[in-house]
């Protein structure tokens, strides 16, 4: 209901796949009612709370009576669980990073009073739901460590790809990546993600710089001679590091990428560098593999739980080790593509939907036995 792209994609694929498998699905989302009025911009955030906490619960109450089971597809809306407890219900928990931040457990992330209140309401909702279904085993472990639910009330349904990520031939990719100043002959590494500390974009840059320096010292061509960031502009610190090491002109930063363009970028890349420090699931790992892109990522959960044999796992705090891992794996990039494709095939949207159907049966039967 807050317009987060990943959550909108998740609920869309759940709705589509459940309907395709024969379930009668009704998607209920909040509509901007109070926000339709011309309030001053400084008040819009607060007026939005009227839609969230006054109007939407009334809408939700009408639809809950129709349902056999209620699925809150984003744990950020777990504050509505008290409104649906009359029916069997589950909440999908994608990660607990915001909850951890509100508790002061995430370095560099300061949460205000309103944010802490929201996370408290979300935590209370998670405690009251029949079952919390986590998108990764790591998220489940974190949920249990925070003692928000007990083991019997926490399950796992691994995410499935939320869109049609697939291999794109060079002929198809060429016109799609041309507007970014790239050709299918270019050798480039790719990173995707926001400029958050946990995304660790600096490690990707440092590894790229070291690879350029090693190649130059050895009188050979580098594995890749460009680094593509899909996301916000470089931070001042990153830009200065790139400039000081003479690679600034080899770095591209793009945003507003369509799905077809993203698939083409993945498929044409030499490899995805994803040294993230913290994720709920790690979508780019599977997305890249599904497009035939080799993946070098963090030797941390959940990345090392979902990437299978098609990914190479490295200490994300050691950029030199990242560079070494890439050099050592270069002769088998073709094998990594094949293994990655096989691994990504395990993460189908249908498999995910079947997992949720089984979860619905579980909570319905538990209510019937109670």
């Amino acid at each position: 209901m807050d317009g987060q792209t990943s959550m909108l994609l998740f609920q869309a694929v759940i709705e589509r796949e459940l309907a395709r498998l024969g379930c009668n699905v009704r998607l209920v989302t909040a509509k901007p009612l109070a926000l339709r009025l011309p309030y001053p911009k400084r008040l819009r955030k607060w007026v939005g709370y009227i839609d969230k906490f006054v109007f939407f619960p009334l809408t939700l109450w009408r639809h809950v009576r129709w349902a056999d089971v209620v699925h809150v597809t984003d744990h950020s809306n777990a504050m509505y669980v008290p409104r649906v407890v009359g029916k069997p219900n589950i909440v999908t928990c994608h990660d607990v990073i915001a909850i951890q931040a509100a508790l002061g457990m995430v370095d560099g992330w300061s949460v205000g009073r309103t944010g802490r209140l929201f996370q408290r309401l979300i935590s209370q909702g998670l405690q009251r739901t029949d079952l919390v279904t986590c998108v990764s085993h790591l998220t489940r472990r974190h949920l249990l460590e925070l003692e928000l639910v007990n083991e019997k009330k926490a399950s796992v349904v691994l995410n499935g790809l939320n869109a049609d990520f697939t291999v794109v031939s060079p002929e198809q990719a060429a016109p799609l990546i041309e507007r970014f100043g790239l050709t299918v002959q270019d050798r480039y590494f790719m990173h995707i993600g926001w400029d958050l500390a946990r995304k660790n974009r600096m490690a990707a840059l440092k590894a790229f710089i070291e690879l350029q320096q090693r190649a130059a010292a050895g009188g050979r061509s580098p594995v890749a001679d460009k680094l593509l960031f899909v996301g916000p502009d470089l931070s001042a610190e990153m830009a200065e590091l790139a400039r000081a090491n003479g690679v600034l002109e080899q770095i591209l930063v793009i945003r507003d990428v369509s799905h077809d363009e993203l698939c083409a970028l993945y498929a044409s890349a030499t490899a995805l560098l994803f040294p993230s420090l913290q994720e709920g699931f790690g979508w780019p790992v599977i997305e890249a593999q599904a497009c035939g892109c080799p993946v070098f990522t963090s030797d941390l959960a959940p990345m090392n739980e979902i990437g299978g044999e098609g990914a190479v796992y490295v200490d994300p705090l050691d950029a030199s080790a990242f560079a070494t891992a890439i050099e050592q794996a270069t002769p088998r990039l073709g094998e990594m593509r094949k293994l990655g494709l096989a691994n990504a095939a395990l993460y189908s949207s249908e498999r995910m939907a079947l997992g949720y159907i089984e979860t619905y049966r579980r909570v319905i039967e538990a209510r019937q036995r109670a």
Side-chain angles (χ1 to χ4, degrees):
M1 66 184 298
D2 293 313
Q4 295 183 21
T5 301
S6 60
M7 294 300 99
L8 293 174
L9 287 170
F10 179 79
Q11 75 178 24
V13 74
I14 284 288
E15 181 184 22
R16 183 193 72 217
E17 290 299 311
L18 291 178
R20 191 178 64 80
L21 292 169
C23 298
N24 193 356
V25 181
R26 185 178 294 183
L27 177 63
V28 184
T29 58
K31 307 296 182 184
L33 299 175
L35 278 175
R36 289 179 180 175
L37 300 176
Y39 289 96
K41 187 175 181 180
R42 69 180 185 279
L43 297 178
R44 290 186 64 80
K45 171 184 174 181
W46 303 102
V47 174
Y49 292 152
I50 297 175
D51 285 332
K52 279 177 174 285
F53 293 104
V54 178
F55 292 131
F56 182 61
L58 295 174
T59 301
L60 189 59
W61 177 78
R62 294 200 306 272
H63 291 287
V64 165
R65 293 182 297 173
W66 165 86
D68 295 315
V69 62
V70 178
H71 182 179
V72 180
T73 59
D74 177 4
H75 64 276
S76 296
N77 292 322
M79 74 277 287
Y80 298 116
V81 168
R83 305 283 183 170
V84 304
V85 291
K87 295 283 186 174
N89 61 85
I90 75 165
V91 174
T92 292
C93 185
H94 297 268
D95 61 63
V96 295
I97 298 171
I99 296 175
Q100 291 171 326
L103 295 172
M105 299 170 63
V106 180
D107 292 339
W109 189 342
S110 177
V111 181
R113 182 180 302 175
T114 303
R116 292 195 298 272
L117 174 59
F118 264 117
Q119 296 308 318
R120 191 176 306 121
L121 292 173
I122 289 167
S123 298
Q124 291 170 354
L126 291 172
Q127 291 169 337
R128 291 195 62 182
T129 191
D130 289 353
L131 189 70
V132 180
T133 304
C134 303
V135 302
S136 69
H137 295 284
L138 175 69
T139 295
R140 182 179 185 272
R141 291 197 295 272
H142 283 168
L143 196 69
L144 296 176
E145 288 168 2
L146 291 171
E147 298 183 347
L148 294 177
V149 298
N150 61 46
E151 289 196 26
K152 293 181 179 179
K153 289 184 61 176
S155 66
V156 175
V157 175
L158 294 174
N159 273 334
L161 287 165
N162 56 25
D164 184 21
F165 287 92
T166 187
V167 176
V168 182
S169 70
E171 295 75 22
Q172 293 172 311
L176 290 169
I177 68 176
E178 183 180 19
R179 81 176 183 94
F180 303 119
L182 291 168
T183 71
V184 293
Q185 286 76 40
D186 285 325
R187 295 172 301 163
Y188 63 90
F189 294 128
M190 179 174 169
H191 179 281
I192 183 168
W194 292 104
D195 189 19
L196 302 173
R198 64 185 178 89
K199 294 296 183 181
N200 201 20
R201 298 205 305 171
M202 180 65 84
L205 174 59
K206 288 181 176 178
F208 177 74
I209 290 171
E210 183 149 348
L211 285 168
Q212 304 308 299
Q213 293 173 342
R214 291 183 187 182
R220 62 182 187 276
S221 297
V223 181
D225 47 30
K226 293 183 179 180
L227 175 58
L228 171 69
F229 285 102
V230 181
D233 291 336
L234 298 182
S235 66
E237 182 183 5
M238 291 179 69
E240 178 54 35
L241 180 66
R243 186 180 299 106
N245 285 277
V247 301
L248 187 60
E249 298 302 316
Q250 296 168 255
I251 296 174
L252 300 174
V253 181
I254 63 175
R255 60 175 69 192
D256 299 324
V257 178
S258 72
H259 175 72
D260 288 345
E261 289 168 340
L262 181 58
C263 289
L265 289 167
Y266 275 139
S268 305
T270 301
L272 173 74
L273 309 187
F274 194 67
S276 180
L277 301 175
Q278 190 176 26
E279 296 289 329
F281 181 73
W283 284 110
V285 173
I286 305 302
E287 293 173 356
Q289 288 183 331
C291 296
C293 179
V295 174
F296 294 86
T297 188
S298 308
D299 194 11
L300 299 172
M303 282 70 72
N304 59 10
E305 295 178 346
I306 66 170
E309 296 180 359
V312 171
Y313 306 103
V314 192
D315 180 354
L317 298 177
D318 190 340
S320 180
F322 239 87
T324 299
I326 293 168
E327 286 183 327
Q328 292 175 345
T330 297
R332 63 183 191 89
L333 289 179
E335 178 189 8
M336 289 177 65
R337 290 188 180 92
K338 293 178 182 178
L339 291 171
L341 284 168
N343 184 64
L346 302 175
Y347 294 86
S348 70
S349 55
E350 179 178 352
R351 177 204 54 77
M352 177 179 68
L354 289 171
Y356 278 110
I357 290 173
E358 180 57 35
T359 300
Y360 302 153
R361 291 194 180 110
R362 176 179 168 184
V363 295
I364 289 171
E365 290 171 1
R367 284 288 186 105
Q368 292 171 343
R369 290 194 302 268

